[in-house]
Amino acid sequence: MGAGKGKQGSKAQETRRRIIEAAGALFVERGYGATKLQEIADRAGVAVQTIYFVFRNKPSLLKELIDVAIAGDDEPVSTMDRPWFMEVTTAPTAESALAALVASTRRTLERVAAINEMVRAATATNPEIRELWPDQADPRYTVIATAAKSLTKKPGARPAIPAEEAADIIYAILSPELFVVLTRDRAWPPAKWEQWAYDALSSQLLVDNGPWPTRLLRAT
């Protein structure tokens, strides 16, 4: 019986993944408002009733899509408990912490930048999307502020830059909007964006803003 339950759980997880992938592709291609749940079901190869059963409604499906895109998976682990964030906060120097933060942000933005644009456009005409995050602080800023607080206490950080100001600088330079401008509109390879973002931030936040430390970045 345990094996049977395992197979059922695996099948349910695969169905969920297919629905999220289909929704992401169609929302970006056609827009949130123009995409029907039946179209998502057709692309995912499931009955539309399955989408209602798993996600309840279209806004909930969108929220799940965003959460999975940010995390990179559907595991119930918060961003600040994930290994990449722990790598930032436990790094021995500000230089290695910044390198880890930029590298991880690149991987996240490659997944979510297009989705972020779609959500911004959809929010203007679909009030129900705003209700998905009622009166909530920007979660991206919360993560960055925590990383900045840690980074500014490490050796190599500029002592004159307070954590709040460092968070604002990081928040701006690592924004999805700027990533889209450079990697899509200006056709920068993501690796070039990563090097530029590190250089720009190191010049503001580090005492020794030497060359981009490729030795500190994990292979991507």
Side-chain angles (χ1 to χ4, degrees):
M1 183 176 293
K5 287 183 178 179
K7 289 181 180 179
Q8 289 178 357
S10 178
K11 184 178 180 180
Q13 189 174 22
E14 172 61 19
T15 297
R16 187 182 191 91
R17 182 190 64 77
R18 292 206 316 272
I19 294 170
I20 290 173
E21 287 183 355
L26 287 169
F27 287 160
V28 171
E29 289 172 13
R30 305 179 185 180
Y32 173 83
T35 301
K36 308 300 182 186
L37 287 182
Q38 183 63 59
E39 294 171 324
I40 297 172
D42 292 343
R43 180 168 293 198
V46 301
V48 71
Q49 289 83 0
T50 301
I51 297 180
Y52 285 112
F53 177 77
V54 176
F55 298 100
R56 299 193 313 278
N57 54 43
K58 191 174 171 184
S60 294
L61 172 56
L62 175 64
K63 186 176 189 303
E64 184 73 11
L65 164 65
I66 296 168
D67 290 344
V68 169
I70 292 172
D73 57 52
D74 58 359
E75 295 297 321
V77 180
S78 70
T79 298
M80 288 185 280
D81 289 328
R82 289 182 172 269
W84 75 261
F85 190 81
M86 298 298 292
E87 182 181 352
V88 174
T89 57
T90 61
T93 65
E95 179 188 38
S96 55
L98 182 60
L101 177 61
V102 173
S104 297
T105 300
R106 169 191 164 181
R107 289 190 288 273
T108 300
L109 290 177
E110 286 183 289
R111 295 191 301 267
V112 307
I115 294 172
N116 184 72
E117 269 205 313
M118 174 270 295
V119 171
R120 288 170 63 90
T123 302
T125 54
N126 297 271
E128 70 271 16
I129 295 178
R130 300 189 196 99
E131 297 171 5
L132 296 176
W133 299 277
D135 301 322
Q136 182 179 347
D138 183 343
R140 188 172 77 85
Y141 185 82
T142 300
V143 170
I144 286 176
T146 304
K149 185 176 180 181
S150 173
L151 186 150
T152 54
K153 294 179 180 178
K154 296 181 184 295
R158 284 194 175 185
I161 303 293
E164 184 175 352
E165 183 177 340
D168 290 344
I169 293 169
I170 296 169
Y171 184 79
I173 290 179
L174 301 188
S175 69
E177 295 81 6
L178 189 51
F179 181 83
V180 167
V181 167
L182 293 176
T183 61
R184 187 196 66 187
D185 298 349
R186 303 308 309 157
W188 281 22
K192 180 178 179 179
W193 173 90
E194 184 177 347
Q195 178 175 348
W196 169 82
Y198 176 86
D199 289 344
L201 288 169
S202 66
S203 69
Q204 295 286 316
L205 305 177
L206 303 184
V207 172
D208 179 16
N209 56 317
W212 184 52
T214 54
R215 67 188 183 281
L216 298 174
L217 299 178
R218 294 174 296 180
T220 56

